[in-house]
């Protein structure tokens, strides 16, 4: 990855750059409100995506076993943390993951602390919250 390459993402429908004016009434700001990188993905990722798009069928997919194996190995090698493949759960994003955790780990009437500064959807994702979260 080339972290020195500056990529202008304005006028590309980038939430990070093109929604500044609407969200904050100015486009002369540093868009640090969303975790969106301005770097190209590694070439190996581009090639993998190209292979999928070249196939032309965009059906439902599931994570291959090799992904779970890689995660188990990474956690052991990087953090000396032993986990099992069956303990890994995939989610489409951090907000749905938090929703799942709240659903599993809390009961009606439990309190939840959100300590700012945090990603803004943590405060306004009511449509993702379990019915007992108020």
């Amino acid at each position: 990855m080339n972290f020195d390459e500056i990529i202008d993402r304005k006028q590309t429908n980038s939430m990070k750059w093109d929604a500044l004016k609407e969200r904050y009434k100015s486009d002369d700001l540093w868009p640090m409100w969303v975790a969106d990188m301005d770097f190209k993905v590694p070439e190996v990722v581009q090639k993998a995506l190209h292979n999928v798009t070249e196939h032309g069928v965009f059906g439902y997919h599931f994570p291959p076993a090799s992904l779970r194996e890689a995660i188990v190995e990474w956690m052991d090698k990087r953090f000396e943390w032993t986990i099992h493949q069956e303990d890994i759960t995939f989610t489409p994003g951090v907000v749905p993951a938090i929703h799942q955790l709240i659903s599993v780990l809390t009961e009606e009437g439990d309190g939840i602390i959100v300590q700012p500064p945090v990603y803004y959807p943590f405060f306004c994702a009511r449509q993702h919250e379990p019915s007992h979260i108020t």
Side-chain angles (χ1 to χ4, degrees), residues 57-61:
V57 178
F58 301 98
Y60 294 105
H61 295 270

Side-chain angles (χ1 to χ4, degrees), residues 43-105:
E43 191 173 316
V44 65
V45 172
Q46 288 183 23
K47 285 181 179 179
L49 288 171
H50 176 77
N51 289 342
V52 171
T53 60
E54 193 173 69
H55 184 267
V57 178
F58 301 98
Y60 294 105
H61 295 270
F62 60 91
S66 60
L67 177 57
R68 290 177 189 275
E69 293 167 9
I71 293 169
V72 168
E73 289 176 22
W74 172 261
M75 298 304 288
D76 183 49
K77 178 180 177 183
R78 182 76 176 207
F79 304 108
E80 297 179 7
W81 186 19
T82 302
I83 64 171
H84 306 283
Q85 290 185 31
E86 59 272 13
D87 296 331
I88 299 170
T89 300
F90 296 100
T91 69
V94 69
V95 173
I98 289 173
H99 171 263
Q100 288 179 341
L101 289 169
I102 290 171
S103 296
V104 170
L105 300 174

Side-chain angles (χ1 to χ4, degrees), residues 21-37:
K21 184 133 186 149
E22 178 182 334
R23 182 175 287 278
Y24 297 105
K25 310 301 181 233
S26 175
D27 57 4
D28 188 28
L29 302 169
W30 285 19
M32 298 172 65
W33 60 279
V34 65
D36 183 358
M37 298 291 99

